[in-house]
């Protein structure tokens, strides 16, 4: 009886591939490299799958439409927005006092710093740029939805909003320190 030969393309590393292959039909995912949380050596990376369905910034980064500095600047803005939003809530003085009601939480130093950074970002971006960044990064709107909110529904306006959003991400990368002025000028020259 002849002996069966092993397939030459067999790789032992595929045994440890634990990425999910059974995904829902309407899922939008992208593969990203992240730091290995179980690594013995610092700097080891693994490939993970992240959902980009309701994450416009992640989708742009996964499709290589924005660079790493723009991505990190956008994430820093989102982090500051979440930190600042947790602040004090408005009190309704007309409501009757109820024993055991929540007391207001004091504003922490990290919240105060986040608000200061957001104020600086708004000054840098201007009113229109800050509104555009807020619509995309906080509300998760697409360029078409932004155009509909502003009563302009043509492809030219969608392209304008996309270009303006990338300019705002460049400015966010500068404000948060993920890029320098010379890097920003080089990317402008490449466009």
């Amino acid at each position: 009886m002849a002996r069966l030969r092993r397939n030459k393309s067999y790789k032992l590393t595929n045994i440890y591939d634990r990425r999910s292959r059974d995904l829902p039909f309407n899922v939008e995912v992208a593969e990203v490299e992240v730091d290995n949380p179980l690594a013995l050596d610092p700097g080891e990376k693994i490939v993970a799958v992240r959902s980009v369905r309701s994450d416009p910034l992640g989708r742009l980064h996964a499709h290589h439409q924005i660079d790493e500095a723009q991505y990190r600047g956008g994430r820093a803005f989102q982090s500051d927005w979440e930190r600042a939003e947790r602040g004090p809530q408005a009190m309704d003085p007309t409501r009757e006092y109820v024993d055991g009601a929540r007391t207001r939480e004091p504003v922490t130093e990290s919240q105060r710093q986040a608000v200061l950074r957001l104020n600086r970002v708004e000054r840098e971006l201007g009113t229109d740029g800050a509104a555009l960044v807020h619509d995309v990064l906080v509300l998760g709107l697409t360029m078409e939805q932004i155009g509909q909110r502003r009563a302009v529904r043509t492809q030219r306006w969608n392209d304008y909003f996309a270009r303006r959003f990338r300019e705002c991400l460049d400015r966010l990368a500068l404000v948060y320190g993920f890029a320098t002025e010379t890097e920003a000028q080089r990317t402008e020259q490449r466009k």
Side-chain angles (χ1 to χ4, degrees):
M1 181 185 274
R3 189 168 185 203
L4 293 175
R5 296 184 69 173
R6 241 185 195 166
N7 187 355
K8 298 278 186 197
S9 64
Y10 178 81
K11 293 181 183 177
L12 188 61
T13 58
N14 288 341
I15 293 174
Y16 301 105
D17 187 7
R18 294 190 177 135
R19 288 177 283 180
S20 177
R21 301 280 185 244
D22 187 26
L23 298 172
F25 86 101
N26 62 348
V27 71
E28 294 179 34
V29 295
E31 290 185 354
V32 293
E33 274 193 11
V34 296
D35 291 329
N36 186 356
L38 304 175
L40 299 176
D41 299 326
E44 280 188 41
K45 303 280 187 183
I46 59 172
V47 176
V49 178
R50 86 168 162 209
S51 174
V52 294
R53 183 175 183 183
S54 60
D55 182 15
L57 191 65
R59 182 181 297 115
L60 290 171
H61 188 252
H63 292 287
H64 304 289
Q65 294 175 349
I66 60 174
D67 61 9
E68 187 68 25
Q70 291 171 322
Y71 175 74
R72 292 178 69 189
R75 285 291 187 229
F77 176 84
Q78 287 175 328
S79 174
D80 279 347
W81 183 265
E82 290 171 2
R83 196 171 295 131
E85 190 179 45
R86 191 187 144 277
Q89 305 290 318
M91 247 176 65
D92 187 4
T94 61
R95 289 183 56 199
E96 185 177 331
Y97 176 76
V98 179
D99 200 23
R102 291 188 310 160
T103 60
R104 288 198 280 167
E105 295 178 14
V107 177
T108 63
E109 183 61 25
S110 67
Q111 286 175 321
R112 193 178 76 73
Q113 292 296 324
V115 169
L116 291 174
R117 282 191 298 269
L118 288 174
N119 289 339
R120 179 172 177 228
V121 163
E122 187 170 358
R123 280 192 312 273
E124 290 282 331
L125 297 178
T127 305
D128 189 48
L132 181 63
V133 167
H134 179 269
D135 287 347
V136 175
L137 296 182
V138 176
L139 300 179
L141 300 179
T142 63
M143 298 306 154
E144 293 83 20
Q145 292 169 329
I146 292 169
Q148 288 173 358
R149 289 180 84 187
R150 297 178 184 196
V152 288
R153 293 182 172 90
T154 62
Q155 184 62 39
R156 178 177 254 176
W157 278 104
N158 292 345
D159 294 342
Y160 166 75
F161 290 136
R163 194 170 49 253
R164 178 75 172 110
F165 179 65
R166 284 190 196 87
E167 291 171 3
C168 291
L169 286 177
D170 283 335
R171 182 56 66 183
L172 286 176
L174 287 172
V175 168
Y176 284 107
F178 297 117
T180 61
E181 196 69 42
T182 57
E183 290 172 354
Q185 289 172 353
R186 267 189 266 139
T187 57
E188 280 296 318
Q189 290 172 355
R190 277 188 273 153
K191 293 177 184 177

